[in-house]
Amino acid sequence: MTYYKEYSKVWVSVDVIIFGFDEKKLKVLIGRRQMDPGRGEWSLYGGFVSANEGIDDAAKRTLYGLTGLNNLYMRQVGAFGSIDRDPGERVISIAYYALINVKDYDEKLRKEHDVQWVDINEIPILYSDHNLMVEQALRIMRQKIKTSPISFQLLPQLFTLTQLQTLYEAVIGDEVDKRNFRKRIKDMDFIEKTNLIDKKTSKRGAALYRFNNKAFTEDSNFKL
């Protein structure tokens, strides 16, 4: 028996907004669209959901296909389903945002997919409603970073407090008071100071810190 014959069919796709932090700037991974309609336009990376997979699985597959990385931080942004959002067919897209350490992304794989990192403040006009997806993802991330340690997903395992502050400012789009920021950070047991020194970014050498997930799990009062 065939059900729902009285209703029209629609296509379902996923699009992934991949954020990275490099050269003191928050960046997004984009590339030229390689299919019609919109071939050659700047676009996020995405794909259609297969009949035998859920939308989260489709997003994970798409993300892995582009980055070659597993277990990345990824969260859903929302559904985008304007009637005229895709001139080819009626397509509803579920958008996700993911956070990666740029240094973990194989440069050969980036070139193979012909994608590039673009400063969040210099994003060109993207295909369809992809600019709106980026805006909404950034809005969600700006709220999330104040109450959850997602910033550490964008940093190397060892980082300086200057790197952490610079990242935080890049995400929220504003400067913060250095003294107050460091005071709050040093009061958090789950941000551990190590005995290692970073001599690359400072002549005097800056102390390196790391995130302790176990300690964070035991502390429910995180707020920046």
Side-chain angles (χ1 to χ4, degrees):
M1 182 179 294
T2 302
Y3 299 99
Y4 313 127
K5 290 191 295 183
E6 67 271 30
Y7 298 104
S8 59
K9 293 183 179 181
V10 299
W11 296 88
V12 179
S13 67
V14 293
D15 286 292
V16 184
I17 304 108
I18 303 175
F19 290 111
F21 180 66
D22 191 33
E23 299 176 351
K24 299 181 179 181
K25 296 178 179 179
L26 182 66
K27 299 185 176 182
V28 178
L29 199 61
I30 62 173
R32 295 287 185 177
R33 188 171 165 86
Q34 299 179 7
M35 61 186 297
D36 294 319
R39 185 184 297 271
E41 295 183 29
W42 288 110
S43 171
L44 296 172
Y45 196 80
F48 287 99
V49 179
S50 299
N52 61 347
E53 65 180 351
I55 55 174
D56 288 350
D57 292 331
K60 291 176 183 178
R61 171 180 56 78
T62 300
L63 183 58
Y64 178 78
L66 177 61
T67 67
L69 300 172
N70 279 312
N71 301 317
L72 293 174
Y73 179 92
M74 183 179 70
R75 295 293 185 273
Q76 190 178 120
V77 175
F80 295 77
S82 296
I83 295 175
D84 58 350
R85 65 174 303 275
D86 192 306
E89 291 286 350
R90 179 71 199 282
V91 180
I92 295 175
S93 181
I94 313 300
Y96 292 77
Y97 80 95
L99 309 179
I100 71 172
N101 180 357
V102 172
K103 297 296 188 288
D104 289 340
Y105 187 22
D106 190 333
E107 185 68 8
K108 291 182 180 179
L109 195 58
R110 184 190 67 78
K111 292 181 178 179
E112 179 183 322
H113 286 286
D114 195 22
V115 292
Q116 59 184 275
W117 292 106
V118 177
D119 187 332
I120 192 69
N121 297 311
E122 299 175 359
I123 297 178
I125 296 176
L126 304 177
Y127 174 76
S128 185
D129 50 10
H130 289 190
N131 286 92
L132 180 59
M133 291 181 181
V134 175
E135 291 172 9
Q136 290 196 196
L138 183 58
R139 189 179 306 116
I140 292 171
M141 186 166 65
R142 282 175 172 170
Q143 292 298 319
K144 192 72 173 177
I145 200 172
K146 297 176 182 178
T147 58
S148 179
I150 63 172
S151 56
F152 303 109
Q153 305 289 338
L154 296 163
L155 291 171
Q157 186 175 6
L158 296 174
F159 53 86
T160 66
L161 292 186
T162 297
Q163 286 177 305
L164 181 58
Q165 180 178 337
T166 302
L167 166 60
Y168 185 76
E169 292 175 334
V171 172
I172 67 173
D174 198 7
E175 294 183 0
V176 297
D177 181 80
K178 180 178 179 179
R179 181 179 299 178
N180 290 336
F181 183 84
R182 296 201 171 197
K183 182 179 184 301
R184 292 199 299 272
I185 292 299
K186 290 180 178 179
D187 287 339
M188 298 173 182
D189 294 336
F190 52 85
I191 300 180
E192 300 177 336
K193 184 177 181 179
T194 72
N195 295 323
L196 302 174
I197 300 295
D198 175 25
K199 296 183 178 179
K200 294 182 179 180
T201 59
S202 171
K203 292 182 180 179
R204 296 171 55 187
L208 287 167
Y209 291 74
R210 64 187 171 199
F211 172 65
N212 185 324
N213 186 62
K214 181 179 179 181
F216 171 75
T217 303
E218 297 170 353
D219 182 354
S220 59
N221 298 315
F222 175 80
K223 188 173 183 180
L224 276 175

